[in-house]
Structures are given as structure tokens and as C-alpha cells.
């Protein structure tokens, strides 16, 4: 069984964000992490491999800058067998449509039974790329997976809703989008880190390696989403000013905290 996990190197927003003049994120200047939903998807794949290590192969695939090699090394240090990096200057600035078109073209170069993506990335929160990849590849998709198991060529998923869940069954090949709540991802191991950096190779593909892909569907030029304005500055309201004596002021503040269920 071959599982491909699509992961993304995203900005570590705890360190702030920076934008390019065209409104896209300046990813080259920001600290990065593996997207949390994707990491849960990777852990799900690794648990399937743990149950049948001789017959399951896990490949981590990402699209991004050359430094996205780091997130693939992390995935391999966790236990993934292979890493694939899709990177090319002409692919930069892609929105969800251009990203999903490009990743789908890369997936056509790979044998797979199951594709796992995160529900959404913390730098966009669109939850569009996974389902769009499935549409490009004509695959069934089950989104918002909070539990996942494999039985006799089928994927059985507990799909999350606001106040309930559905149990959905799909025949492979198919695509699953994972929630961060799906599991608790494992840590890298010392041996895994050694193998990831000294023993394993990352396959790198550029635009020429993506055969079934139209130039009108790639990069910033092929992105129908247009950003009117982007800013890392959040305007705050003026707040509320009260002119009372100290006791009345304290009573007023306490009443507001109680009203908001803070205390």
C-alpha cells in the first residue's frame, strides 16, 4: 500500500508575518513549521505503516521554496520513507487553484492508494486545496477526518461536524483531509534524524517535470484569487473610557468580566 501525505511548510505566526509588495507572504524571511493539520495526517499514515511495515510505504510531498526541503526531512525523521519537493520560481505566488493544479500534476508522477492532506493551512485557512486536488485527480474525497482506519481496500473515516459525526467509507484510491485533532503526532527520533539527513534523498521536481499541467494554471499569473490589500498591522478600536470613582470603576470592570464569562 502506498500513501502520499501532502504537507506544507507554513510561517510560524508566533514570530509575526511579513508581506511582499504584491500582497503575498514573504515566506523567505519568516520562520517556518510543518502545518499542524498536515502533521496529523502524516501521523495517521505512519500509524498505518506501523501496523504493516513491510507492505506500507509513506511518501511526503510538498510544494514550496527550496528551503521546504527542511519540512520533508522532518517528515522522514518522523518515519516517512520518501520526500518529494516541487519547487520552481514560476510556481511562486500560487493561490489554492494554482497550488492544487500543480500538486495534482506532481501526484500523477507517483503511484498511490491513499492521499492524505491537512484540512487547511494556518497561513490561509481556506480548506480548499485538498478537495481541489481530489477533483483534479477524479478521486473521492472525505474531509474533516477525526478518526481513520483501513479495512480490505477501503478507508473508513469518522467525519467531524459541529455537533455530531458521520462514519463514511470509501474505496481506495481516495483522498482524506485530516484534522489536527485526529491524533498526537510523534516526535522525530535520533535515528530518524540521522537517516533523514544522511541516508535518504529528497526528489526535487521543477516545472519541466510536471507534464500534465497547463501554464495558465500555475503561479501568481494562473491564480484567479486577487489580493486587494494585505497588512501585518491590525487596527484596534479606541476602547471604552469611563469616568467614575475607583470603587464604581472596579464594580463596572468586574461586571463586564462576569458578562463575558472571563470570571
Amino acid at each position: 500500500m502506498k500513501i502520499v501525505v501532502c504537507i506544507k511548510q507554513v510561517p510560524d505566526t508566533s514570530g509575526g508575518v511579513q508581506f511582499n509588495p504584491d500582497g503575498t507572504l514573504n515566506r523567505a524571511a519568516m520562520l517556518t513549521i510543518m502545518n499542524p493539520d498536515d502533521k496529523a495526517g502524516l501521523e495517521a499514515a505512519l500509524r498505518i505503516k506501523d501496523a504493516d511495515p513491510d507492505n506500507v510505504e509513506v511518501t511526503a510531498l510538498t510544494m514550496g521554496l527550496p528551503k521546504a526541503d527542511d519540512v520533508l526531512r522532518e517528515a522522514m525523521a518522523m518515519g516517512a520513507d520518501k520526500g518529494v519537493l516541487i519547487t520552481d520560481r514560476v510556481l511562486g505566488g500560487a493561490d489554492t487553484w494554482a497550488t492544487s493544479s500543480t500538486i495534482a500534476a506532481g501526484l500523477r508522477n507517483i503511484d498511490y492508494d491513499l492521499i492524505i492532506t491537512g484540512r487547511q493551512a494556518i497561513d490561509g485557512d481556506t480548506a480548499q486545496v485538498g478537495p481541489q486536488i481530489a477533483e483534479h485527480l477524479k478521486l473521492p474525497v472525505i474531509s474533516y477526518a477525526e478518526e481513520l482506519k483501513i479495512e480490505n481496500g477501503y478507508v473508513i473515516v469518522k467525519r467531524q461536524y459541529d455537533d455530531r459525526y458521520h462514519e463514511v467509507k470509501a474505496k481506495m484510491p481516495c483522498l482524506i483531509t485530516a484534522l489536527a485533532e485526529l491524533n498526537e503526532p510523534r516526535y522525530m527520533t535520533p535515528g530518524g534524524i540521522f537517516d533523514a539527513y544522511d541516508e535518504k534523498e529528497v526528489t526535487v521536481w521543477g516545472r519541466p517535470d510536471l507534464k500534465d499541467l497547463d501554464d495558465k494554471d500555475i503561479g501568481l499569473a494562473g491564480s484567479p484569487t486577487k489580493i486587494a490589500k494585505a497588512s501585518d498591522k491590525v487596527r484596534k478600536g479606541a476602547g471604552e473610557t469611563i469616568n467614575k470613582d475607583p470603587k464604581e470603576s472596579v464594580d463596572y470592570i468586574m461586571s463586564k468580566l462576569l458578562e463575558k464569562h472571563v470570571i
Side-chain angles (χ1 to χ4, degrees), residues 8 20 22 24-25 27 61-66 68 84-107 109 203-223:
K8 186 177 183 182
N20 294 311
D22 61 7
T24 58
L25 285 171
R27 298 180 183 275
L61 179 147
T62 193
M63 168 185 164
L65 297 170
V84 176
L85 171 60
I86 300 173
T87 185
D88 197 307
R89 188 176 296 275
V90 299
L91 304 176
D95 70 354
T96 61
W97 171 260
T99 297
S100 64
S101 299
T102 303
I103 292 175
L107 287 164
N109 293 340
T203 300
V204 180
W205 290 334
R207 174 65 185 92
D209 300 296
L210 308 174
K211 305 301 182 185
D212 190 8
L213 181 63
D214 197 312
D215 283 337
K216 67 179 178 60
D217 292 327
I218 64 173
L220 185 61
S223 298

Side-chain angles (χ1 to χ4, degrees), residues 3-7 38 41-42 45 58-62 114-117:
I3 305 174
V4 180
V5 184
C6 298
I7 61 178
D38 302 347
L42 175 61
V58 177
T59 299
L61 179 147
T62 193
L114 177 64
I115 300 169
I116 302 177
T117 75

Side-chain angles (χ1 to χ4, degrees), residues 190-211:
I193 294 171
F194 178 84
D195 289 344
Y197 282 90
D198 288 341
E199 300 293 331
K200 296 180 180 179
E201 295 293 330
V202 170
T203 300
V204 180
W205 290 334
R207 174 65 185 92
D209 300 296
L210 308 174
K211 305 301 182 185

Side-chain angles (χ1 to χ4, degrees), residues 9-213:
Q9 188 180 55
V10 295
D12 183 355
T13 53
S14 64
V17 296
Q18 298 181 37
F19 291 97
N20 294 311
D22 61 7
T24 58
L25 285 171
N26 183 1
R27 298 180 183 275
M30 299 167 67
L31 297 175
T32 56
I33 58 173
M34 187 187 300
N35 185 59
D37 285 358
D38 302 347
K39 202 167 193 176
L42 175 61
E43 175 63 25
L46 295 176
R47 292 186 185 187
I48 296 170
K49 179 185 173 184
D50 289 343
D52 192 6
D54 294 330
N55 296 303
V56 178
E57 179 181 83
V58 177
T59 299
L61 179 147
T62 193
M63 168 185 164
L65 297 170
K67 73 172 186 176
D69 176 272
D70 292 341
V71 79
L72 293 173
R73 301 287 178 185
E74 180 182 353
M76 292 190 292
M78 290 172 64
D81 300 288
K82 298 178 180 178
V84 176
L85 171 60
I86 300 173
T87 185
D88 197 307
R89 188 176 296 275
V90 299
L91 304 176
D95 70 354
T96 61
W97 171 260
T99 297
S100 64
S101 299
T102 303
I103 292 175
L107 287 164
R108 293 188 185 100
N109 293 340
I110 305 174
D111 292 330
Y112 56 80
D113 300 293
L114 177 64
I115 300 169
I116 302 177
T117 75
R119 167 193 52 178
Q120 61 192 45
I122 60 173
D123 59 352
D125 286 342
T126 63
Q128 294 174 357
V129 172
Q132 286 177 349
I133 291 171
E135 181 66 20
H136 290 310
L137 298 175
K138 308 302 181 187
L139 295 175
V141 57
I142 305 175
S143 56
Y144 293 79
E146 63 176 32
E147 288 184 13
L148 184 157
K149 58 183 177 180
I150 307 294
E151 286 185 4
N152 301 319
Y154 286 85
V155 177
I156 302 172
V157 173
K158 183 176 176 181
R159 186 177 189 270
Q160 184 189 81
Y161 284 82
D162 286 342
D163 58 349
R164 66 198 70 190
Y165 67 89
H166 286 172
E167 187 169 277
V168 186
K169 183 177 181 180
K171 187 173 179 61
M172 295 186 289
C174 65
L175 184 145
I176 306 297
T177 76
L179 297 172
E181 296 86 352
L182 179 61
N183 51 51
E184 185 68 32
R186 68 193 64 190
Y187 292 105
M188 297 180 285
T189 65
I193 294 171
F194 178 84
D195 289 344
Y197 282 90
D198 288 341
E199 300 293 331
K200 296 180 180 179
E201 295 293 330
V202 170
T203 300
V204 180
W205 290 334
R207 174 65 185 92
D209 300 296
L210 308 174
K211 305 301 182 185
D212 190 8
L213 181 63

